[in-house]
Amino acid sequence: MEIELEINGVEQTVEASKSDSLLDVLRRNGYTGAKRGCDTGACGFCTVHVDGEPVKSCVKPVTKARDASVETIEGLGTQNDLHPVQQAFVDNTALQCGFCIPGMIMRSTALLVENPDPSEQEVREALSDNLCRCTGYKKIVEAVLDAAERMDSGTAVAADGGQTVDSDGGAATVTECSRTDCGCMEGDQ
């Protein structure tokens, strides 16, 4: 059967069988950032956003995602223009093998939309359904808190991960964002 989806802002018609999960269809169509881990929704490796909500795509029947807007890690940022959460993960070395990171980042971005100023405990609770076998979560939690601060303050991030510097030698602030869907420039600046 054919299913209509909006994937990373692009309307698409994808082939699927009734038994396919959203993860099956995404990966078959080249969106391989969402990882297959448990196939039971227990690990969070496959987390994507469906209509703005974090969803474990391995247990979401693709038929239930018909006509939905799906965002994967591939739609969040690019190698040359990372989303603030992605950049914070890089800057805080919040990864080892990297297998869990797309799911962690997608869940973290959803958290920061819901709660732009989470406490450490709120970050830990939000990420409690996302497993990481390599780390103790310390750097991941630090990265999410760092991203929250960056997104709240509008602090610009240089390509090398450091802050950009304005002409007075201070940290530059972002006054516009090339992305229209991340919400990083909403609120008081």
Side-chain angles (χ1 to χ4, degrees):
M1 75 173 99
E2 292 185 341
I3 304 256
E4 298 286 329
L5 292 172
E6 179 185 302
I7 304 174
N8 299 329
V10 178
E11 295 284 337
Q12 297 186 37
T13 302
V14 295
E15 287 292 324
S17 68
K18 287 198 304 192
S19 63
D20 279 342
S21 68
L22 178 57
L23 179 62
D24 293 327
V25 170
L26 289 171
R27 291 186 62 83
R28 202 166 40 240
N29 285 278
Y31 301 96
T32 58
K35 305 299 184 208
R36 183 176 306 281
C38 63
D39 273 337
T40 63
C43 71
F45 297 167
C46 65
T47 303
V48 298
H49 297 164
V50 177
D51 293 330
E53 297 296 319
V55 169
K56 294 174 184 164
S57 62
C58 73
V59 293
K60 175 86 170 177
V62 72
T63 55
K64 300 285 185 184
R66 184 185 307 272
D67 298 320
S69 174
V70 178
E71 184 176 35
T72 69
I73 190 79
E74 291 91 346
L76 200 56
T78 66
Q79 189 69 30
N80 295 325
D81 184 24
L82 295 176
H83 184 279
V85 174
Q86 292 171 310
Q87 190 64 60
F89 269 66
V90 171
D91 294 348
N92 286 276
T93 58
L95 51 110
Q96 286 186 16
C97 82
F99 199 77
C100 69
I101 296 305
M104 289 280 188
I105 289 174
M106 295 306 288
R107 181 61 189 105
S108 298
T109 58
L111 166 65
L112 295 178
V113 168
E114 296 166 16
N115 181 357
D117 188 26
S119 67
E120 178 180 335
Q121 185 59 37
E122 289 169 323
V123 171
R124 288 185 179 280
E125 287 173 16
L127 296 178
S128 65
D129 288 341
N130 290 72
L131 300 179
C132 177
R133 302 283 187 215
C134 301
T135 72
Y137 298 92
K138 182 179 185 319
K139 290 194 173 279
I140 290 170
V141 171
E142 289 172 353
V144 176
L145 293 171
D146 182 22
E149 188 175 308
R150 291 175 190 209
M151 292 168 71
D152 183 51
S153 69
T155 301
V157 178
D160 67 357
Q163 293 180 347
T164 57
V165 178
D166 65 19
S167 59
D168 296 327
T173 56
V174 176
T175 56
E176 18 181 294
C177 178
S178 61
R179 295 184 47 85
T180 58
D181 60 343
C182 67
C184 67
M185 297 308 298
E186 293 175 5
D188 296 331
Q189 297 300 314

